[in-house]
Amino acid sequence: MTSENIKTPDGGTLELYSTGAELAFAGSGVVVVPASMVTAADYTKFAQKLSAALGRPVHTFNRRGRGSSSPQAEDYTLDADIRDLDAVMKHTSSTDVFGHSFGGAVALHAARTLPVERLAVYDPAVSVNHSVKADWTTEYERATAAGDDDRALAVLTKGLETGAFSRMPLSMLTIANKLTAGTHVGKQQRELMRTGVREIKAIIAADMPAEPFLELPLETLIIVGEKSPAYFGVACGQIHDILTGSSYTILQGAGHDGVLRAPDKLITELSDFFAG
């Protein structure tokens, strides 16, 4: 795996990781757009397995507010990530895109206008006809205003419903956050929770009916984890219904973190799809 910092047209910096760069002769690489509460490093196993199975490069980048990439703007909108994805695609000469969770929402919106040939998403956190709700943000903001990051992180975790801890009572989850504050995961969650909440708000602000997604590539693969929160399937089902050329798969036994776990069945599904 190689890493480099690339410049964006607005003068920003994106930290880019490439796995299998020596395979560029074999065809377009796949650009991975990461989720909200993680970094590009969390996709190392996934990128290695997909590149090996596909025989082509896989490029993962730290979206703004992560790693050595530029800070995320306070007035963040999805357009910022769409422009950055465009910059990464051009720099790597890639036309295939994979998006996970929030990254899936970015990819779906971006592929309506960018030159994406094959698009795959896993549990995209896209809002279609108000499928994504965030009533919890008021309580989250009260907690951050009071300086209680442990409670704020607990509210965020329960609001997203994406992990096993989200089923814990709020009070117990707050205590658990205090106990894990010094761990790698605990530190990363605190570093990313403010960018994560801005991204959730941006998803809701970009809510639209399903019909505009008719502009997506004919070759679109939508994957939802069997154990993932139901709201992912609500939006994906609506997009699949109007996008006649799309494929829709439920990954049996997998949850929202299925991409990070990189099971063989997911890698096979994706490598077969991107191989055309």
Side-chain angles (χ1 to χ4, degrees):
M1 181 174 67
T2 61
S3 65
E4 60 180 315
N5 287 341
I6 68 171
K7 288 296 183 182
T8 59
D10 67 349
T13 298
L14 296 176
E15 186 177 21
L16 173 68
Y17 294 88
S18 297
T19 301
E22 70 279 3
L23 302 170
F25 68 89
S28 168
V30 177
V31 176
V32 177
V33 190
S36 276
M37 301 296 288
V38 293
T39 68
D42 294 307
Y43 291 85
T44 300
K45 178 181 178 181
F46 171 79
Q48 290 172 340
K49 292 184 69 173
L50 181 58
S51 177
L54 190 58
R56 284 161 41 194
V58 174
H59 309 284
T60 309
F61 66 102
N62 269 323
R63 295 191 294 100
R64 299 194 189 212
R66 298 155 178 83
S68 61
S69 294
S70 295
Q72 186 185 76
E74 292 289 340
D75 59 349
Y76 169 82
T77 67
L78 284 182
D79 287 341
D81 266 317
I82 292 172
R83 290 191 296 269
D84 286 347
L85 174 57
D86 185 35
V88 172
M89 289 175 64
K90 288 176 178 175
H91 182 81
T92 60
S93 299
S94 299
T95 55
D96 293 347
V97 173
F98 172 76
H100 173 215
S101 191
F102 177 81
V106 171
L108 284 167
H109 282 283
R112 295 172 53 223
T113 56
L114 299 187
V116 176
E117 291 187 3
R118 292 185 182 90
L119 170 67
V121 292
Y122 184 98
D123 280 358
V126 65
S127 187
V128 178
N129 291 317
H130 309 290
S131 58
V132 176
K133 312 289 185 186
D135 299 337
W136 48 268
T137 55
T138 300
E139 186 175 1
Y140 164 86
E141 287 166 353
R142 279 200 298 266
T144 55
D148 191 348
D149 282 358
D150 296 314
R151 182 178 177 84
L153 183 57
V155 172
L156 170 60
T157 301
K158 289 189 69 64
L160 296 179
E161 304 176 33
T162 51
F165 290 127
S166 66
R167 294 188 287 274
M168 293 174 63
L170 183 62
S171 58
M172 291 182 61
L173 185 52
T174 301
I175 293 172
N177 287 339
K178 291 181 185 294
L179 297 175
T180 60
T183 66
H184 169 73
V185 173
K187 291 177 181 177
Q188 179 169 292
Q189 295 290 292
R190 281 162 178 75
E191 290 171 0
L192 296 178
M193 70 177 183
R194 286 169 176 78
T195 62
V197 171
R198 278 195 291 268
E199 289 165 359
I200 290 295
K201 290 180 177 180
I203 286 172
I204 293 172
D207 178 89
M208 62 175 62
E211 286 72 20
F213 291 103
L214 282 168
E215 299 171 285
L216 290 175
L218 285 177
E219 294 192 68
T220 296
L221 172 62
I222 300 169
I223 307 174
V224 174
E226 179 191 19
K227 298 180 180 179
S228 299
Y231 64 85
F232 293 114
V234 172
C236 290
Q238 293 183 67
I239 293 173
H240 176 59
D241 285 345
I242 61 101
L243 197 62
T244 55
S246 66
S247 299
Y248 186 100
T249 299
I250 296 176
L251 195 66
Q252 298 300 314
H256 189 61
D257 62 349
V259 177
L260 306 184
R261 294 178 181 273
D264 290 345
K265 55 188 173 183
L266 174 60
I267 299 301
T268 299
E269 185 88 31
L270 289 171
S271 60
D272 286 350
F273 171 73
F274 284 121

